[in-house]
Amino acid sequence: MYPRIDFTYLSEPDMIAAGVLDAGRCVEVCEETFSLLGKGDYLMGGANHNSHGLNIVFPKETTFPNMPVAGPDRRFAAMPGYLGGRFDVCGNKWYGSNHANMEKGLPRSILTMMLNDKDTGAPLALMSANLLSAARTGGVPGVAAKHLANKDAEVVSVVGCGPINKACFTAIMTQLGAVRKVVCFDLFLDKAKEFANWAAAEYGVEAVGVDDTEAGFRGADVITVAASRLKPLFFKDEWIKEGATILVSGPFNTDESFLTSARIVYDHTSLQEAYVEDAIASGNKDAYYGSVIGGPFFRLIDAGKLPALKDSTGLGDVVNGEKPGRENSRERVIFIACGMAVFDISWGFDLLQNAKAKGIGQSLNLWERPSQG
């Protein structure tokens, strides 16, 4: 009457063995996920079913001796969702972050992913998710590069040379076959040069490291932005060449003239609408806009200078052929990605199938039968 429940545990080495670093495959799965988003075959958190997640943000001060206080990138987030199609599964990414981790030799964020049966709620898998999350974060702009970038793009610029942008760049390069030069920008020149050395060795291209912001943007055909939240990034309209594609996965700001003249494609317009709902509910919409990636767009929408989100284009619409993406080689395109749990779910599900097929991972028992007392 009460069957035994077992689930699969996948460590980080297990995830690597299951293919988490296969950027080309990750882009394919992310593209499939965008198609499902465009069709509406998904659910995320919140009353609107489109919330990015639920965050614990710590107070600046507390009278409780053990309660954490606010610090750079210090928060917890639960990111639940359901994804249909062949996935047909629920999941939740649990996300803990603290910039001070790096002083302890730890990554800034430590993540785990749980997949669950959609009907019973029983766990299907618990997996290490740092590499999973980074890969799907890269896979999203990889899909955007496939559908929005000019195919003859020769110069790629990497703005922010951390692990997230390495994943973005790796995925983007699976879609671009004509790249001959990579410009790597970071506030810390040693990081920029280290990334450039890796890119040159990995892809056999000319690669340079720079710490001048303008040099990181001017002349690039494709620009991937995943810079630090600790210092705001600003780029100028005049730096962006005709035909350029900017793939944004981190906070930024730019001239109003660029945002009102470029073609804008969002990851998912309903997600962006949920961000605006949260901004209104916060009681300080302008401050909230300053904390999220889409803030520069939202301010211009409120001012009537950009179309409403409901009238805008999501990448799922482009993937499904419902709306155009890039319409000619000369227009400048900007893609905005804010992160959605459904991509963690789809990539995690795909990797779980690989792991099962290869006998990777450890089976853990939840119960032989549940206690009734």
mmCIF file of all heavy atoms in Angstrom, residues 214-258:
data_model
loop_
_atom_site.group_PDB
_atom_site.id
_atom_site.type_symbol
_atom_site.label_atom_id
_atom_site.label_comp_id
_atom_site.label_asym_id
_atom_site.label_seq_id
_atom_site.Cartn_x
_atom_site.Cartn_y
_atom_site.Cartn_z
ATOM 1 N N GLU A 214 35.400 50.694 -22.699
ATOM 2 C CA GLU A 214 35.124 50.970 -24.112
ATOM 3 C C GLU A 214 35.759 49.920 -25.009
ATOM 4 O O GLU A 214 35.134 49.455 -25.971
ATOM 5 C CB GLU A 214 35.630 52.368 -24.481
ATOM 6 C CG GLU A 214 35.350 52.735 -25.928
ATOM 7 C CD GLU A 214 35.759 54.161 -26.281
ATOM 8 O OE1 GLU A 214 36.121 54.924 -25.352
ATOM 9 O OE2 GLU A 214 35.715 54.520 -27.475
ATOM 10 N N ALA A 215 36.975 49.514 -24.670
ATOM 11 C CA ALA A 215 37.656 48.492 -25.476
ATOM 12 C C ALA A 215 36.932 47.155 -25.404
ATOM 13 O O ALA A 215 37.035 46.334 -26.317
ATOM 14 C CB ALA A 215 39.095 48.327 -24.991
ATOM 15 N N GLY A 216 36.168 46.948 -24.328
ATOM 16 C CA GLY A 216 35.417 45.714 -24.196
ATOM 17 C C GLY A 216 34.163 45.660 -25.048
ATOM 18 O O GLY A 216 33.585 44.585 -25.230
ATOM 19 N N PHE A 217 33.717 46.806 -25.575
ATOM 20 C CA PHE A 217 32.484 46.866 -26.364
ATOM 21 C C PHE A 217 32.701 47.267 -27.820
ATOM 22 O O PHE A 217 32.055 46.728 -28.710
ATOM 23 C CB PHE A 217 31.509 47.869 -25.728
ATOM 24 C CG PHE A 217 30.810 47.363 -24.499
ATOM 25 C CD1 PHE A 217 31.402 47.477 -23.257
ATOM 26 C CD2 PHE A 217 29.571 46.754 -24.595
ATOM 27 C CE1 PHE A 217 30.766 47.007 -22.117
ATOM 28 C CE2 PHE A 217 28.922 46.288 -23.467
ATOM 29 C CZ PHE A 217 29.523 46.417 -22.213
ATOM 30 N N ARG A 218 33.574 48.215 -28.050
ATOM 31 C CA ARG A 218 33.680 48.803 -29.389
ATOM 32 C C ARG A 218 34.209 47.784 -30.406
ATOM 33 O O ARG A 218 35.196 47.105 -30.180
ATOM 34 C CB ARG A 218 34.585 50.035 -29.358
ATOM 35 C CG ARG A 218 34.531 50.843 -30.633
ATOM 36 C CD ARG A 218 35.413 52.087 -30.558
ATOM 37 N NE ARG A 218 34.859 53.139 -29.739
ATOM 38 C CZ ARG A 218 33.964 54.039 -30.149
ATOM 39 N NH1 ARG A 218 33.467 53.951 -31.367
ATOM 40 N NH2 ARG A 218 33.551 54.992 -29.324
ATOM 41 N N GLY A 219 33.496 47.675 -31.516
ATOM 42 C CA GLY A 219 33.948 46.839 -32.621
ATOM 43 C C GLY A 219 33.539 45.383 -32.543
ATOM 44 O O GLY A 219 33.817 44.614 -33.465
ATOM 45 N N ALA A 220 32.856 44.978 -31.475
ATOM 46 C CA ALA A 220 32.487 43.557 -31.324
ATOM 47 C C ALA A 220 31.204 43.245 -32.083
ATOM 48 O O ALA A 220 30.276 44.052 -32.126
ATOM 49 C CB ALA A 220 32.333 43.214 -29.854
ATOM 50 N N ASP A 221 31.157 42.060 -32.667
ATOM 51 C CA ASP A 221 29.946 41.595 -33.347
ATOM 52 C C ASP A 221 28.949 40.976 -32.363
ATOM 53 O O ASP A 221 27.737 41.131 -32.521
ATOM 54 C CB ASP A 221 30.315 40.547 -34.408
ATOM 55 C CG ASP A 221 31.222 41.116 -35.475
ATOM 56 O OD1 ASP A 221 30.850 42.140 -36.076
ATOM 57 O OD2 ASP A 221 32.305 40.536 -35.701
ATOM 58 N N VAL A 222 29.468 40.247 -31.374
ATOM 59 C CA VAL A 222 28.646 39.629 -30.334
ATOM 60 C C VAL A 222 29.289 39.938 -28.996
ATOM 61 O O VAL A 222 30.505 39.754 -28.828
ATOM 62 C CB VAL A 222 28.527 38.100 -30.532
ATOM 63 C CG1 VAL A 222 27.757 37.467 -29.374
ATOM 64 C CG2 VAL A 222 27.845 37.780 -31.860
ATOM 65 N N ILE A 223 28.489 40.402 -28.049
ATOM 66 C CA ILE A 223 28.994 40.769 -26.733
ATOM 67 C C ILE A 223 28.195 40.003 -25.689
ATOM 68 O O ILE A 223 26.964 40.070 -25.668
ATOM 69 C CB ILE A 223 28.839 42.284 -26.481
ATOM 70 C CG1 ILE A 223 29.555 43.083 -27.571
ATOM 71 C CG2 ILE A 223 29.378 42.664 -25.092
ATOM 72 C CD1 ILE A 223 29.162 44.548 -27.634
ATOM 73 N N THR A 224 28.880 39.251 -24.832
ATOM 74 C CA THR A 224 28.212 38.570 -23.728
ATOM 75 C C THR A 224 28.548 39.294 -22.430
ATOM 76 O O THR A 224 29.723 39.492 -22.100
ATOM 77 C CB THR A 224 28.595 37.075 -23.653
ATOM 78 O OG1 THR A 224 28.080 36.521 -22.434
ATOM 79 C CG2 THR A 224 30.086 36.837 -23.726
ATOM 80 N N VAL A 225 27.515 39.715 -21.718
ATOM 81 C CA VAL A 225 27.671 40.531 -20.516
ATOM 82 C C VAL A 225 27.249 39.717 -19.300
ATOM 83 O O VAL A 225 26.096 39.310 -19.174
ATOM 84 C CB VAL A 225 26.820 41.812 -20.595
ATOM 85 C CG1 VAL A 225 26.930 42.613 -19.302
ATOM 86 C CG2 VAL A 225 27.239 42.665 -21.785
ATOM 87 N N ALA A 226 28.192 39.468 -18.408
ATOM 88 C CA ALA A 226 27.892 38.835 -17.120
ATOM 89 C C ALA A 226 28.897 39.373 -16.109
ATOM 90 O O ALA A 226 29.756 38.655 -15.597
ATOM 91 C CB ALA A 226 27.966 37.319 -17.211
ATOM 92 N N ALA A 227 28.788 40.683 -15.865
ATOM 93 C CA ALA A 227 29.731 41.369 -15.000
ATOM 94 C C ALA A 227 29.258 41.335 -13.551
ATOM 95 O O ALA A 227 28.113 41.004 -13.252
ATOM 96 C CB ALA A 227 29.915 42.816 -15.465
ATOM 97 N N SER A 228 30.139 41.710 -12.648
ATOM 98 C CA SER A 228 29.857 41.674 -11.217
ATOM 99 C C SER A 228 28.758 42.663 -10.836
ATOM 100 O O SER A 228 28.647 43.752 -11.405
ATOM 101 C CB SER A 228 31.132 42.017 -10.434
ATOM 102 O OG SER A 228 30.853 42.206 -9.072
ATOM 103 N N ARG A 229 27.972 42.285 -9.845
ATOM 104 C CA ARG A 229 26.968 43.189 -9.287
ATOM 105 C C ARG A 229 27.592 44.242 -8.372
ATOM 106 O O ARG A 229 26.935 45.201 -7.994
ATOM 107 C CB ARG A 229 25.941 42.392 -8.486
ATOM 108 C CG ARG A 229 25.065 41.487 -9.324
ATOM 109 C CD ARG A 229 24.078 40.727 -8.459
ATOM 110 N NE ARG A 229 23.186 39.896 -9.263
ATOM 111 C CZ ARG A 229 22.050 40.307 -9.787
ATOM 112 N NH1 ARG A 229 21.650 41.549 -9.570
ATOM 113 N NH2 ARG A 229 21.304 39.507 -10.512
ATOM 114 N N LEU A 230 28.851 44.039 -7.990
ATOM 115 C CA LEU A 230 29.445 44.904 -6.970
ATOM 116 C C LEU A 230 29.811 46.280 -7.501
ATOM 117 O O LEU A 230 29.914 47.234 -6.751
ATOM 118 C CB LEU A 230 30.686 44.226 -6.380
ATOM 119 C CG LEU A 230 30.420 42.874 -5.705
ATOM 120 C CD1 LEU A 230 31.702 42.305 -5.117
ATOM 121 C CD2 LEU A 230 29.350 42.999 -4.624
ATOM 122 N N LYS A 231 30.015 46.392 -8.806
ATOM 123 C CA LYS A 231 30.291 47.705 -9.404
ATOM 124 C C LYS A 231 29.463 47.828 -10.675
ATOM 125 O O LYS A 231 29.617 47.031 -11.607
ATOM 126 C CB LYS A 231 31.772 47.877 -9.729
ATOM 127 C CG LYS A 231 32.090 49.287 -10.247
ATOM 128 C CD LYS A 231 33.580 49.521 -10.407
ATOM 129 C CE LYS A 231 33.840 50.948 -10.909
ATOM 130 N NZ LYS A 231 35.288 51.206 -11.070
ATOM 131 N N PRO A 232 28.546 48.810 -10.747
ATOM 132 C CA PRO A 232 27.653 48.922 -11.912
ATOM 133 C C PRO A 232 28.420 49.055 -13.226
ATOM 134 O O PRO A 232 29.433 49.753 -13.306
ATOM 135 C CB PRO A 232 26.853 50.193 -11.607
ATOM 136 C CG PRO A 232 26.929 50.359 -10.130
ATOM 137 C CD PRO A 232 28.281 49.828 -9.735
ATOM 138 N N LEU A 233 27.912 48.366 -14.252
ATOM 139 C CA LEU A 233 28.504 48.420 -15.585
ATOM 140 C C LEU A 233 27.698 49.375 -16.454
ATOM 141 O O LEU A 233 26.476 49.286 -16.517
ATOM 142 C CB LEU A 233 28.481 47.024 -16.207
ATOM 143 C CG LEU A 233 28.877 46.953 -17.685
ATOM 144 C CD1 LEU A 233 30.375 47.150 -17.836
ATOM 145 C CD2 LEU A 233 28.458 45.613 -18.287
ATOM 146 N N PHE A 234 28.384 50.297 -17.128
ATOM 147 C CA PHE A 234 27.710 51.213 -18.043
ATOM 148 C C PHE A 234 28.440 51.185 -19.375
ATOM 149 O O PHE A 234 29.670 51.254 -19.427
ATOM 150 C CB PHE A 234 27.733 52.649 -17.491
ATOM 151 C CG PHE A 234 26.988 53.637 -18.355
ATOM 152 C CD1 PHE A 234 25.638 53.882 -18.145
ATOM 153 C CD2 PHE A 234 27.620 54.304 -19.404
ATOM 154 C CE1 PHE A 234 24.931 54.771 -18.945
ATOM 155 C CE2 PHE A 234 26.927 55.189 -20.211
ATOM 156 C CZ PHE A 234 25.584 55.425 -19.977
ATOM 157 N N PHE A 235 27.669 51.034 -20.465
ATOM 158 C CA PHE A 235 28.281 51.154 -21.789
ATOM 159 C C PHE A 235 27.520 52.192 -22.603
ATOM 160 O O PHE A 235 26.345 52.463 -22.362
ATOM 161 C CB PHE A 235 28.338 49.801 -22.519
ATOM 162 C CG PHE A 235 27.001 49.189 -22.854
ATOM 163 C CD1 PHE A 235 26.342 49.521 -24.022
ATOM 164 C CD2 PHE A 235 26.424 48.250 -22.015
ATOM 165 C CE1 PHE A 235 25.118 48.951 -24.354
ATOM 166 C CE2 PHE A 235 25.209 47.660 -22.337
ATOM 167 C CZ PHE A 235 24.551 48.014 -23.506
ATOM 168 N N LYS A 236 28.212 52.791 -23.568
ATOM 169 C CA LYS A 236 27.649 53.885 -24.357
ATOM 170 C C LYS A 236 27.122 53.392 -25.700
ATOM 171 O O LYS A 236 27.685 52.468 -26.303
ATOM 172 C CB LYS A 236 28.701 54.971 -24.578
ATOM 173 C CG LYS A 236 29.140 55.675 -23.309
ATOM 174 C CD LYS A 236 30.126 56.796 -23.619
ATOM 175 C CE LYS A 236 30.549 57.522 -22.360
ATOM 176 N NZ LYS A 236 31.508 58.629 -22.648
ATOM 177 N N ASP A 237 26.083 54.043 -26.161
ATOM 178 C CA ASP A 237 25.474 53.752 -27.456
ATOM 179 C C ASP A 237 26.528 53.777 -28.563
ATOM 180 O O ASP A 237 26.581 52.881 -29.419
ATOM 181 C CB ASP A 237 24.374 54.791 -27.713
ATOM 182 C CG ASP A 237 23.567 54.528 -28.976
ATOM 183 O OD1 ASP A 237 23.980 53.692 -29.787
ATOM 184 O OD2 ASP A 237 22.520 55.171 -29.150
ATOM 185 N N GLU A 238 27.381 54.776 -28.539
ATOM 186 C CA GLU A 238 28.344 54.984 -29.633
ATOM 187 C C GLU A 238 29.373 53.861 -29.732
ATOM 188 O O GLU A 238 30.043 53.716 -30.755
ATOM 189 C CB GLU A 238 29.066 56.312 -29.444
ATOM 190 C CG GLU A 238 29.933 56.374 -28.203
ATOM 191 C CD GLU A 238 30.452 57.769 -27.922
ATOM 192 O OE1 GLU A 238 29.647 58.660 -27.594
ATOM 193 O OE2 GLU A 238 31.686 57.972 -28.029
ATOM 194 N N TRP A 239 29.512 53.052 -28.684
ATOM 195 C CA TRP A 239 30.471 51.959 -28.729
ATOM 196 C C TRP A 239 29.943 50.737 -29.489
ATOM 197 O O TRP A 239 30.714 49.855 -29.855
ATOM 198 C CB TRP A 239 30.834 51.498 -27.318
ATOM 199 C CG TRP A 239 31.466 52.544 -26.458
ATOM 200 C CD1 TRP A 239 31.996 53.740 -26.848
ATOM 201 C CD2 TRP A 239 31.633 52.474 -25.031
ATOM 202 N NE1 TRP A 239 32.470 54.425 -25.761
ATOM 203 C CE2 TRP A 239 32.267 53.677 -24.634
ATOM 204 C CE3 TRP A 239 31.302 51.537 -24.061
ATOM 205 C CZ2 TRP A 239 32.579 53.938 -23.296
ATOM 206 C CZ3 TRP A 239 31.616 51.793 -22.744
ATOM 207 C CH2 TRP A 239 32.248 52.983 -22.365
ATOM 208 N N ILE A 240 28.641 50.660 -29.694
ATOM 209 C CA ILE A 240 28.026 49.444 -30.234
ATOM 210 C C ILE A 240 27.882 49.568 -31.744
ATOM 211 O O ILE A 240 27.169 50.427 -32.254
ATOM 212 C CB ILE A 240 26.648 49.193 -29.599
ATOM 213 C CG1 ILE A 240 26.745 49.263 -28.069
ATOM 214 C CG2 ILE A 240 26.109 47.836 -30.047
ATOM 215 C CD1 ILE A 240 27.741 48.300 -27.451
ATOM 216 N N LYS A 241 28.538 48.690 -32.477
ATOM 217 C CA LYS A 241 28.578 48.791 -33.929
ATOM 218 C C LYS A 241 27.268 48.341 -34.563
ATOM 219 O O LYS A 241 26.442 47.651 -33.941
ATOM 220 C CB LYS A 241 29.741 47.954 -34.476
ATOM 221 C CG LYS A 241 29.560 46.445 -34.290
ATOM 222 C CD LYS A 241 30.724 45.640 -34.885
ATOM 223 C CE LYS A 241 30.705 45.644 -36.391
ATOM 224 N NZ LYS A 241 31.710 44.713 -36.970
ATOM 225 N N GLU A 242 27.087 48.708 -35.793
ATOM 226 C CA GLU A 242 25.945 48.246 -36.578
ATOM 227 C C GLU A 242 25.982 46.723 -36.660
ATOM 228 O O GLU A 242 27.029 46.120 -36.894
ATOM 229 C CB GLU A 242 26.018 48.846 -37.974
ATOM 230 C CG GLU A 242 24.871 48.479 -38.885
ATOM 231 C CD GLU A 242 25.008 49.124 -40.265
ATOM 232 O OE1 GLU A 242 25.673 48.507 -41.132
ATOM 233 O OE2 GLU A 242 24.456 50.226 -40.473
ATOM 234 N N GLY A 243 24.832 46.100 -36.471
ATOM 235 C CA GLY A 243 24.732 44.653 -36.592
ATOM 236 C C GLY A 243 25.140 43.866 -35.359
ATOM 237 O O GLY A 243 25.062 42.635 -35.361
ATOM 238 N N ALA A 244 25.545 44.564 -34.288
ATOM 239 C CA ALA A 244 26.016 43.865 -33.090
ATOM 240 C C ALA A 244 24.860 43.208 -32.346
ATOM 241 O O ALA A 244 23.718 43.667 -32.392
ATOM 242 C CB ALA A 244 26.749 44.834 -32.173
ATOM 243 N N THR A 245 25.188 42.134 -31.633
ATOM 244 C CA THR A 245 24.237 41.443 -30.758
ATOM 245 C C THR A 245 24.806 41.452 -29.350
ATOM 246 O O THR A 245 25.939 40.993 -29.137
ATOM 247 C CB THR A 245 24.021 39.987 -31.203
ATOM 248 O OG1 THR A 245 23.617 39.967 -32.579
ATOM 249 C CG2 THR A 245 22.965 39.306 -30.356
ATOM 250 N N ILE A 246 24.029 41.968 -28.401
ATOM 251 C CA ILE A 246 24.461 41.983 -27.003
ATOM 252 C C ILE A 246 23.598 40.995 -26.233
ATOM 253 O O ILE A 246 22.370 41.100 -26.218
ATOM 254 C CB ILE A 246 24.356 43.388 -26.385
ATOM 255 C CG1 ILE A 246 25.148 44.390 -27.214
ATOM 256 C CG2 ILE A 246 24.854 43.374 -24.945
ATOM 257 C CD1 ILE A 246 25.148 45.795 -26.644
ATOM 258 N N LEU A 247 24.243 40.048 -25.585
ATOM 259 C CA LEU A 247 23.566 38.997 -24.824
ATOM 260 C C LEU A 247 23.815 39.263 -23.345
ATOM 261 O O LEU A 247 24.934 39.092 -22.849
ATOM 262 C CB LEU A 247 24.114 37.631 -25.241
ATOM 263 C CG LEU A 247 24.091 37.368 -26.754
ATOM 264 C CD1 LEU A 247 24.840 36.082 -27.093
ATOM 265 C CD2 LEU A 247 22.662 37.315 -27.273
ATOM 266 N N VAL A 248 22.781 39.709 -22.646
ATOM 267 C CA VAL A 248 22.930 40.221 -21.286
ATOM 268 C C VAL A 248 22.474 39.176 -20.274
ATOM 269 O O VAL A 248 21.316 38.778 -20.251
ATOM 270 C CB VAL A 248 22.120 41.525 -21.109
ATOM 271 C CG1 VAL A 248 22.238 42.022 -19.666
ATOM 272 C CG2 VAL A 248 22.602 42.597 -22.081
ATOM 273 N N SER A 249 23.400 38.743 -19.419
ATOM 274 C CA SER A 249 23.094 37.795 -18.348
ATOM 275 C C SER A 249 23.439 38.365 -16.979
ATOM 276 O O SER A 249 23.427 37.627 -15.980
ATOM 277 C CB SER A 249 23.872 36.487 -18.560
ATOM 278 O OG SER A 249 23.604 35.934 -19.825
ATOM 279 N N GLY A 250 23.755 39.659 -16.913
ATOM 280 C CA GLY A 250 24.118 40.301 -15.656
ATOM 281 C C GLY A 250 23.725 41.757 -15.682
ATOM 282 O O GLY A 250 23.332 42.298 -16.717
ATOM 283 N N PRO A 251 23.801 42.441 -14.541
ATOM 284 C CA PRO A 251 23.341 43.835 -14.438
ATOM 285 C C PRO A 251 24.151 44.781 -15.330
ATOM 286 O O PRO A 251 25.346 44.588 -15.538
ATOM 287 C CB PRO A 251 23.526 44.162 -12.957
ATOM 288 C CG PRO A 251 24.551 43.190 -12.483
ATOM 289 C CD PRO A 251 24.360 41.945 -13.274
ATOM 290 N N PHE A 252 23.480 45.812 -15.836
ATOM 291 C CA PHE A 252 24.117 46.762 -16.735
ATOM 292 C C PHE A 252 23.290 48.039 -16.776
ATOM 293 O O PHE A 252 22.163 48.095 -16.299
ATOM 294 C CB PHE A 252 24.197 46.196 -18.165
ATOM 295 C CG PHE A 252 22.870 46.278 -18.882
ATOM 296 C CD1 PHE A 252 22.641 47.280 -19.817
ATOM 297 C CD2 PHE A 252 21.843 45.396 -18.588
ATOM 298 C CE1 PHE A 252 21.401 47.383 -20.450
ATOM 299 C CE2 PHE A 252 20.616 45.493 -19.219
ATOM 300 C CZ PHE A 252 20.393 46.478 -20.145
ATOM 301 N N ASN A 253 23.857 49.067 -17.382
ATOM 302 C CA ASN A 253 23.100 50.252 -17.758
ATOM 303 C C ASN A 253 23.734 50.832 -19.009
ATOM 304 O O ASN A 253 24.901 50.565 -19.300
ATOM 305 C CB ASN A 253 23.060 51.302 -16.636
ATOM 306 C CG ASN A 253 21.721 52.013 -16.587
ATOM 307 O OD1 ASN A 253 21.108 52.270 -17.626
ATOM 308 N ND2 ASN A 253 21.260 52.337 -15.388
ATOM 309 N N THR A 254 22.943 51.611 -19.746
ATOM 310 C CA THR A 254 23.441 52.172 -20.995
ATOM 311 C C THR A 254 22.623 53.403 -21.364
ATOM 312 O O THR A 254 21.681 53.782 -20.660
ATOM 313 C CB THR A 254 23.373 51.129 -22.127
ATOM 314 O OG1 THR A 254 23.990 51.672 -23.302
ATOM 315 C CG2 THR A 254 21.948 50.743 -22.456
ATOM 316 N N ASP A 255 22.985 54.008 -22.458
ATOM 317 C CA ASP A 255 22.281 55.203 -22.925
ATOM 318 C C ASP A 255 20.861 54.853 -23.346
ATOM 319 O O ASP A 255 20.613 53.812 -23.974
ATOM 320 C CB ASP A 255 23.012 55.819 -24.121
ATOM 321 C CG ASP A 255 24.415 56.299 -23.777
ATOM 322 O OD1 ASP A 255 24.601 56.833 -22.676
ATOM 323 O OD2 ASP A 255 25.317 56.128 -24.624
ATOM 324 N N GLU A 256 19.941 55.742 -23.030
ATOM 325 C CA GLU A 256 18.552 55.569 -23.453
ATOM 326 C C GLU A 256 18.466 55.436 -24.969
ATOM 327 O O GLU A 256 17.649 54.678 -25.491
ATOM 328 C CB GLU A 256 17.730 56.759 -22.968
ATOM 329 C CG GLU A 256 16.276 56.725 -23.357
ATOM 330 C CD GLU A 256 15.521 57.938 -22.842
ATOM 331 O OE1 GLU A 256 15.660 58.280 -21.650
ATOM 332 O OE2 GLU A 256 14.788 58.551 -23.659
ATOM 333 N N SER A 257 19.324 56.151 -25.682
ATOM 334 C CA SER A 257 19.276 56.128 -27.144
ATOM 335 C C SER A 257 19.548 54.728 -27.694
ATOM 336 O O SER A 257 18.997 54.344 -28.729
ATOM 337 C CB SER A 257 20.287 57.119 -27.727
ATOM 338 O OG SER A 257 21.604 56.830 -27.246
ATOM 339 N N PHE A 258 20.388 53.945 -27.005
ATOM 340 C CA PHE A 258 20.642 52.586 -27.478
ATOM 341 C C PHE A 258 19.422 51.706 -27.257
ATOM 342 O O PHE A 258 18.987 50.978 -28.159
ATOM 343 C CB PHE A 258 21.853 51.965 -26.784
ATOM 344 C CG PHE A 258 22.058 50.522 -27.166
ATOM 345 C CD1 PHE A 258 22.532 50.183 -28.417
ATOM 346 C CD2 PHE A 258 21.732 49.509 -26.282
ATOM 347 C CE1 PHE A 258 22.676 48.856 -28.792
ATOM 348 C CE2 PHE A 258 21.885 48.174 -26.644
ATOM 349 C CZ PHE A 258 22.364 47.851 -27.898
#
